[in-house]
Amino acid sequence: MVAWYGIKWTRTVLYVGKTADRLRAPVAITVPGVDTFIWHPFEPVLLVFAGGRLLRIDPAKPQRVHWVDTTPQGLRNWRIDKLPGHADAPLIVASNDRDPAYFDLFTVSQDGRSHAVLVENDGRTLGWLLDDQSVPLARIDRLRDTGTAILLRDGQDEPWRTLLTVEPGDTFSLIGAVERGAPLIAISDRGRDRTALVSVDPKSAEETVIADHPRVDVKDAVHLSKDAGRPDFVVFDDDRPRLRAFTPTGEAVDRLMLDGDNPVDLELLGRSRDSRFVTVARSWREKPFEYRLYDLESGTETELAKHPLHKHRDVFVETQAVSFTARDGLEIPAFLTLPSGVGQQNLPSIVVIHGGPAERQGWSYNPDLQFLANRGYAVLSVNFRGSTGYGKSFRAAGYREVGKAMQDDVVDAANWLIAKGIADQHNLAVMGASYGGYAAALAMARDRGLFKAAIIENAITDLVHCMQNTPSAWGLHVEEVKRYFGDVDDPADLVEMRANSPLTRAKDITGPILILAGKQDQVVGVEHSIMFQRALKSLGKPVTAMYFAGEGHIYTKWQTKLRRALAIERFLARNLGGRAGSFDIYGVAARYLR
């Protein structure tokens, strides 16, 4: 059986179909407030997360009367950390009920009625790794002002010992399960500029490189085989994702899912417990996703479905990796998406800034970029200094450079578009979400006249307010945030934060701004957007705002996504002159259907 999300009469539902029937006539299950779902590892039932509850739903008896609520009783905030290792084993659940800044681990019976502390957090631990018997044998602690420590132990009742410490600015991430006395597998850049897949001796902490790349970090390490000591494969993302396999399962993935030198974007969606079957969303040359079932044992594949946009695949365009030299000589990677059928010179253009800032824009099937290109815009997605994926020196180049050199990179990206003749210098816009929204807003004030308009989404607009009111979940990660933004307890940093806040510089803004935000955003509070909108309105600046009820930092409802797209389309058409659609009945429906 295969389960998937779908839309039925405007509502999000879960569909369950049988591969033997080629998924025809699937069962539709409507679960109000569904967040996500997984298959139970030992029974043909779904575990569905909805509205803070954990529901057990048998697709053979999909009626609500047969649903079983197995929500962990006595825990308010929780997440499943590890599924049962055998039919009668408990769930391992992480909960931050005691303190929202960190999590404890609990064993929880599968019916949710009883739980017990597995390991209690002393206020320093970022996470644990468990063995096959669900015993925490490795742990990662935050050390005050000195990075992190990796600790090991030999059993449930054995003492913890420090294996190694990770300096601030270094990366060391344990992956997979741990076994007593066996080498650890990690992604690490200790002693090198870029992260590599490494094996770590559990006594000496000596690292042995398994796989690395001369230009970029390891992007991902994937375990599909239950007993694989090292990952089945790793992914490097330079100008496109590239896979390196280590096991027969990884080689089967490489052979089945990739397509020679053609760029392919893969999203692993699910796998069977024995790892024989995997479901994948596959985009070839940035065409809309095809959904496939792969049998890694027999080497065969079955097409399950195609994304509805696949029928329009011929109008989709390919993104190309580019780079430009910043004003101080640093090479800045970026991705350029050009519209088809309108030439490639003197175009209305958009500089897109990713969030984080400790994130990156990679090559992938990106509906937003395709949407903008389809409307006639050249789009440059810039990986400014401070972005991840290009080594720690590139990332460190962004430390304490928010509003300064990081912002210069955005300006230099726009000027590169103009110098190449791609962009119409009088028709440039800038857009971004979260940190990207901050940078887009600041660009309108700091570099007046360069950008004609801006779209800012779930944006930080007051750095001081943000750093004085960091989300509680950032509690053990706030030192990394300070490396970028500064420390509010440092008077000099405080002055810079105020000077580099869009809210402070609202009076300097020229050009229209579109503000988009989720009302329930727990990462960047919606008050940032509201304060900024009010400041702009009071100054007589052109501003349009749209707030989405029931949405957080990431939007999940199809209604929100459609309303957002229509707002962006109309705003850009009005200010840059790109293409926009006419009356849309679905857009009207999205305003009223919840």
Side-chain angles (χ1 to χ4, degrees):
M1 291 188 290
V2 177
W4 67 95
Y5 287 112
I7 304 296
K8 183 178 182 180
W9 299 111
T10 75
R11 295 187 181 276
T12 300
V13 300
L14 297 182
Y15 282 111
V16 180
K18 294 182 178 181
T19 56
D21 300 332
R22 299 190 63 83
L23 305 186
R24 294 189 178 96
V27 174
I29 308 172
T30 303
V31 185
V34 61
D35 294 315
T36 188
F37 64 90
I38 54 177
W39 285 103
H40 189 286
F42 295 97
E43 300 179 54
V45 298
L46 290 169
L47 300 178
V48 180
F49 303 84
R53 296 184 300 153
L54 178 60
L55 305 173
R56 183 184 174 105
I57 300 178
D58 183 349
K61 300 176 181 178
Q63 298 82 7
R64 187 174 307 214
V65 68
H66 298 299
W67 297 359
V68 179
D69 192 332
T70 61
T71 307
Q73 296 180 15
L75 297 176
R76 297 188 306 277
N77 301 303
W78 56 274
R79 66 168 189 246
I80 292 180
D81 201 68
K82 190 174 186 291
L83 289 170
H86 55 82
D88 300 320
L91 301 169
I92 306 299
V93 167
S95 173
N96 62 346
D97 280 0
R98 281 198 309 124
D99 190 311
Y102 51 82
F103 287 83
D104 303 313
L105 288 185
F106 296 84
T107 58
V108 178
S109 62
Q110 291 193 38
D111 61 10
R113 294 178 183 176
S114 63
H115 68 270
V117 175
L118 177 63
V119 59
E120 194 169 275
N121 198 328
D122 64 4
R124 295 175 296 174
T125 301
L126 298 168
W128 294 268
L129 271 77
L130 286 65
D131 67 5
D132 286 341
Q133 304 304 312
S134 297
V135 176
L137 294 184
R139 114 182 177 214
I140 305 97
D141 279 9
R142 172 69 70 192
L143 302 178
R144 183 173 179 81
D145 300 327
T146 58
T148 56
I150 308 299
L151 296 90
L152 300 179
R153 64 178 177 178
D154 297 320
Q156 179 72 55
D157 300 319
E158 297 297 317
W160 290 99
R161 67 180 190 280
T162 299
L163 175 66
L164 57 89
T165 57
V166 184
E167 296 300 317
D170 284 355
T171 297
F172 185 89
S173 302
L174 292 171
I175 59 174
V178 292
E179 298 179 24
R180 291 171 177 83
L184 303 169
I185 303 297
I187 293 174
S188 170
D189 64 9
R190 294 195 308 146
R192 65 184 67 84
D193 186 51
R194 287 171 293 279
T195 59
L197 183 72
V198 301
S199 171
V200 185
D201 186 283
K203 296 192 180 299
S204 68
E206 182 179 347
E207 293 184 5
T208 301
V209 173
I210 300 172
D212 62 359
H213 191 282
R215 292 185 299 276
V216 295
D217 293 331
V218 174
K219 179 185 179 183
D220 200 6
V222 179
H223 282 87
L224 290 173
S225 308
K226 184 176 185 295
D227 299 322
R230 61 178 60 182
D232 292 293
F233 61 89
V234 295
V235 179
F236 296 101
D237 193 355
D238 189 3
D239 56 340
R240 64 185 66 169
R242 301 180 191 275
L243 181 150
R244 196 174 301 174
F246 302 108
T247 68
T249 296
E251 291 169 358
V253 170
D254 193 3
R255 185 171 57 253
L256 276 170
M257 302 182 198
L258 302 186
D259 193 1
D261 290 332
N262 289 313
V264 176
D265 182 17
L266 293 177
E267 291 186 19
L268 294 172
L269 304 177
R271 64 181 177 90
S272 60
R273 185 171 64 89
D274 61 3
S275 298
R276 174 179 173 179
F277 298 98
V278 293
T279 48
V280 169
R282 179 180 183 270
S283 169
W284 179 78
R285 290 193 173 276
E286 294 179 82
K287 307 302 183 186
F289 280 127
E290 301 172 292
Y291 302 95
R292 295 172 180 260
L293 174 74
Y294 290 95
D295 183 338
L296 299 181
E297 184 178 295
S298 67
T300 58
E301 63 179 279
T302 302
E303 182 181 289
L304 300 177
K306 292 179 179 177
H307 191 281
L309 285 175
H310 202 269
K311 61 187 176 184
H312 303 295
R313 61 189 178 278
D314 291 342
V315 304
F316 281 66
V317 296
E318 291 186 39
T319 296
Q320 53 188 294
V322 298
S323 65
F324 60 89
T325 303
R327 64 190 66 182
D328 64 354
L330 186 64
E331 196 71 10
I332 305 296
F335 289 89
L336 178 65
T337 311
L338 295 173
S340 64
V342 294
Q344 298 186 354
Q345 296 289 302
N346 205 36
L347 297 169
S349 300
I350 305 166
V351 174
V352 174
I353 313 168
H354 66 69
E359 294 179 10
R360 64 164 295 189
Q361 174 68 52
W363 185 94
S364 66
Y365 168 64
N366 188 311
D368 265 5
L369 299 185
Q370 294 290 340
F371 168 61
L372 295 171
N374 182 263
R375 296 309 189 257
Y377 305 104
V379 186
L380 185 66
S381 305
V382 56
N383 283 317
F384 47 82
R385 71 192 67 205
S387 300
T388 56
Y390 299 97
K392 62 185 175 186
S393 59
F394 188 84
R395 179 173 177 172
Y399 290 164
R400 302 295 178 119
E401 294 296 340
V402 167
K404 296 178 289 186
M406 287 169 69
Q407 198 71 24
D408 292 342
D409 292 344
V410 173
V411 174
D412 292 345
N415 287 328
W416 179 84
L417 278 172
I418 295 169
K420 287 289 185 181
I422 297 169
D424 174 356
Q425 64 178 332
H426 303 296
N427 261 336
L428 267 171
V430 60
M431 69 181 288
S434 194
Y435 169 82
Y438 157 82
L442 184 63
M444 297 295 285
R446 201 198 76 154
D447 303 280
R448 301 175 67 183
L450 177 61
F451 295 106
K452 190 176 181 182
I455 299 169
I456 70 168
E457 193 161 14
N458 293 319
I460 300 168
T461 63
D462 185 343
L463 291 176
V464 176
H465 177 79
C466 177
M467 294 303 292
Q468 287 178 338
N469 299 276
T470 56
S472 57
W474 291 7
L476 295 176
H477 303 271
V478 74
E479 291 303 319
E480 176 66 9
V481 180
K482 289 179 182 178
R483 279 193 267 277
Y484 283 97
F485 293 96
D487 189 342
V488 288
D489 295 326
D490 183 320
D493 285 356
L494 197 61
V495 169
E496 281 205 342
M497 286 183 198
R498 288 199 176 100
N500 291 324
S501 290
L503 186 63
T504 303
R505 304 189 62 169
K507 64 182 183 302
D508 298 325
I509 286 176
T510 58
I513 288 180
L514 172 63
I515 296 174
L516 304 168
K519 289 186 176 180
Q520 277 69 53
D521 191 340
Q522 295 184 7
V523 179
V524 178
V526 70
E527 68 271 12
H528 281 268
S529 297
I530 293 172
M531 289 188 299
F532 193 50
Q533 180 197 7
R534 288 174 177 170
L536 293 174
K537 286 188 70 174
S538 69
L539 293 165
K541 308 287 186 180
V543 57
T544 304
M546 182 176 288
Y547 301 108
F548 303 111
E551 296 284 20
H553 203 58
I554 304 296
Y555 307 143
T556 59
K557 301 176 183 177
W558 70 265
Q559 297 96 325
T560 300
K561 295 174 184 178
L562 179 53
R563 293 177 62 202
R564 169 188 179 271
L566 290 170
I568 290 172
E569 173 186 79
R570 291 163 183 166
F571 177 80
L572 291 174
R574 187 163 59 247
N575 292 291
L576 265 66
R579 188 167 67 85
S582 55
F583 174 78
D584 190 314
I585 187 63
Y586 296 105
V588 175
R591 294 176 57 188
Y592 299 102
L593 295 173
R594 294 290 184 265

